[in-house]
Amino acid sequence: MYGTGYAVAAMLAPTVVTVTAIDMGTVGWAILAVVFLGAALAVAAVATRAARALPTT
């Protein structure tokens, strides 16, 4: 399953970039920026929660 997720993302990424950034122009770039910002905030939240869950020695 781990490899499948990466393969699906690799197949969809060119289509997503083409539809947003190339076909939609500036609005598409803004949409991509929001998507990447959301992903960055999600990763930060998961990392913070994981750091809190680590046992202290």
Side-chain angles (χ1 to χ4, degrees):
M1 292 305 275
Y2 174 79
T4 304
Y6 180 79
V8 170
M11 287 187 306
L12 293 179
T15 303
V16 170
V17 171
T18 299
V19 169
T20 55
I22 296 175
D23 289 345
M24 297 175 74
T26 304
V27 174
W29 281 106
I31 291 169
L32 280 178
V34 169
V35 168
F36 282 115
L37 178 62
L41 292 174
V43 167
V46 168
T48 301
R49 186 169 181 171
R52 288 186 192 150
L54 289 175
T56 57
T57 57

